[in-house]
């Protein structure tokens, strides 16, 4: 059996998976359709449970240097009044013992220390760049840009000698790459998922989202690191992205509006959402509309092909659960493939990956992220009563400062699957 792995997609999920595999001396090829890493305003906030995965891959120190922590969040009315707030407090232990070069840098190798981590705020393209740079020095790694995957062929299904061939198209013409396993980490519109015939269950929301990056002094008006604006018409997230004063303002818009109509409405939306005197003085640096979805692949595995990240599941971005879940997929899949290809687990470990990660999405991420969005605009009655009628906000309001701090960590602990339990107990038998 070939021992190499092909990963389709150089998004943060594919790259993190590749880094973990390469650190375990497994040969890995990444095939990316674009000529370089995508640079659209998407993920910026990662929850502590996913930050632990960055520590396991030995890149957290660098991520911290380039990002911020995002400690204080709140839910506000459109006039700026705070409905409820929480802050990450308590002791933080974030130590990485990195070995440079090919070594594994894993300050929290067992992944059990996520309670000790803070949120991380960092643009996902910066995260991708950090991982890409780290991959450059590692043996057996190829990252090939401009290669669009158009075909996936499974050979000798079920046999130990089986393999998968991936066909790409590029300016070099058609090329073939053979691997023991292929991972589709190629985003929400995943070609791999379509090519292996997996159904894309769920729905698209009737609203759309406009994500913008803007320089504006929200700090001056008492805005916290992340501010959810609850309002039936002007619901939004206003969150600090960089230390030099760039903020992400993402707001909801009716689904029927065209690209041009959305663009035209941007100054009106800012006028409604921003504190401070008018006319507003701001510098808009990025503007991008997105459809928003709650969707999940019917299975995360078909034969030797596995799905991870947005290719496997999509949720609306309120609450930072999308890439957070994707990074946790990457961690669990890395553990599973390493055990499988180093001969310490049978092929069944990959079924466990597929079933457990799918269950996490269906049971935790999907309902939690949907509630995060609906809380902003679909509440009953007046926004002033939201803090008393919404169970989650009630909890936030009644908790002590320390309890809130723990909630920010423990409320999302269920997103992680520790594959070690399955390796040791369920499928330790090697074929
Ligand atoms: C506005 C917005 C804000 C968000 N904010 C957050 C947040 O704060 N926190 C959070 O956790 N999540 C957030 N998300 C979600 C997050 O952006 C995604 O979960 C994340 O991008 C998924 O990473 P990925 O690597 O799985 O896929 P992607 O980042 O989509 O990468 C997939 C890659 O595959 C490539 N590809 C596609 N097809 C092919 C093919 N046929 N052949 C080769 N390559 C291919 C693509 O070019 C792309 O580079 C947000 C999303 C949006 C839209």
């Amino acid at each position: 059996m070939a021992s190499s792995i092909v990963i389709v997609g150089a998004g943060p999920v594919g790259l993190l998976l590749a880094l973990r595999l390469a650190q375990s001396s497994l040969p890995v090829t990444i095939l990316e359709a674009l000529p370089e890493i995508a640079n659209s305003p998407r993920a910026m906030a990662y929850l502590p449970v996913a930050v632990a995965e960055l520590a396991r891959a030995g890149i957290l120190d660098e991520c911290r240097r380039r990002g911020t922590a995002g400690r204080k969040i709140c839910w506000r009315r459109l006039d700026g009044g705070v409905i409820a707030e929480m802050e990450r407090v308590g002791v933080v232990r974030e130590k990485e013992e990195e070995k440079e070069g090919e070594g594994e840098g894993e300050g929290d190798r067992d992944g059990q220390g996520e309670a000790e981590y803070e949120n991380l705020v960092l643009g996902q393209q910066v995260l991708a760049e950090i991982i890409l740079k780290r991959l450059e020095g590692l043996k057996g790694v190829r990252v090939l840009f401009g290669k669009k995957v158009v075909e996936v062929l499974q050979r000798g299904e079920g046999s130990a000698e089986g393999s998968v061939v991936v066909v790409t198209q590029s300016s070099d013409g058609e090329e073939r790459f053979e691997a023991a396993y292929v991972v589709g980490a190629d985003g929400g519109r995943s070609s791999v998922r379509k090519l292996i015939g997996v159904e894309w269950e769920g729905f698209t929301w009737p609203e759309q989202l406009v994500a913008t990056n803007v320089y504006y002094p929200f700090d001056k008006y008492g805005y916290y690191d992340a501010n959810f604006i609850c309002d039936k018409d002007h619901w939004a997230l206003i969150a600090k992205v960089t230390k030099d004063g760039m903020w992400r303002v993402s707001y909801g818009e009716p689904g029927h509006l065209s690209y041009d109509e959305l663009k035209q409405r941007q100054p009106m939306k800012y006028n409604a959402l921003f504190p401070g005197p008018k006319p507003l003085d701001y510098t808009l640096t990025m503007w991008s509309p997105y459809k928003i979805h709650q969707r999940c692949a019917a299975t995360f595995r078909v034969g030797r092909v596995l799905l991870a990240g947005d290719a496997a599941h999509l949720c609306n971005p309120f609450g930072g659960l999308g890439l957070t879940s994707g990074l946790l997929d990457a961690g669990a899949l890395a553990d599973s493939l390493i055990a499988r290809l180093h001969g310490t687990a049978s092929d069944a470990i990959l079924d466990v990956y597929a079933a457990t990660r799918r269950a996490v999405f269906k049971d935790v991420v999907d309902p939690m992220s949907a509630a995060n969005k609906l809380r902003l605009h679909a509440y009953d009655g007046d926004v002033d009563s939201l803090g008393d009628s919404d169970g989650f906000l009630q909890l936030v309001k009644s908790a002590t400062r320390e309890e809130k701090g723990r909630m920010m960590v423990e409320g999302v602990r269920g997103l992680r699957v520790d594959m070690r339990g399955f390796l040791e107990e369920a499928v330790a038998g090697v074929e």
Side-chain angles (χ1 to χ4, degrees), residues 41-42 209-213 248-251 270 286-290:
R42 292 195 285 160
L209 186 75
V210 176
T212 66
N213 286 347
R248 167 68 52 80
V249 177
S250 297
Y251 50 85
Y270 271 20
M286 282 265 209
W287 181 95
S288 195
Y290 296 92

Side-chain angles (χ1 to χ4, degrees), residues 23 54-62 93-110 117 134:
Q23 286 169 338
L54 304 179
R56 292 180 80 205
I59 55 171
L60 183 56
D61 280 353
E62 192 174 349
R93 177 190 63 84
E94 288 195 334
K95 112 179 131 57
E96 271 191 297
E97 285 153 12
E98 288 191 52
K99 291 183 210 145
E100 290 302 329
E102 289 187 17
E104 294 186 357
E106 291 160 288
D108 183 22
R109 176 90 176 118
D110 64 5
Y117 292 98
R134 214 47 90 85

Side-chain angles (χ1 to χ4, degrees), residues 9 11-13 32-33 42-45 124 149 186 191 310 317 320 322-324:
V13 172
E32 167 58 50
R42 292 195 285 160
M44 43 158 281
Q124 74 174 65
V149 169
D186 51 342
S191 307
D310 277 15
L323 185 48
T324 285

Side-chain angles (χ1 to χ4, degrees), residues 154 157 182 184 190 192-202 295-313 329 350-359 361-362:
Q154 305 221 33
E157 221 165 308
V182 167
S190 171
V192 173
R193 188 186 63 237
K194 290 172 196 154
L195 290 165
I196 58 173
V198 172
E199 205 182 319
W200 197 214
E201 297 169 353
R295 291 192 181 271
C296 187
T299 175
F300 289 9
R301 179 182 188 188
V302 174
R304 290 174 175 276
V305 182
L306 297 123
L307 299 174
D310 277 15
H313 45 74
D329 290 349
L350 298 172
D351 288 332
V352 176
Y353 159 79
T356 54
R357 292 307 305 162
R358 187 169 187 277
F361 181 80
K362 297 291 284 181

Side-chain angles (χ1 to χ4, degrees), residues 35 56 106 123 135 139 159 169 172-173 177 203 211 223 340 367 417:
R56 292 180 80 205
E106 291 160 288
L135 281 168
K139 253 195 275 171
S159 90
Q169 271 173 1
D172 304 328
F177 299 83
F203 67 93
Y223 275 52
R340 172 69 190 119
V417 176

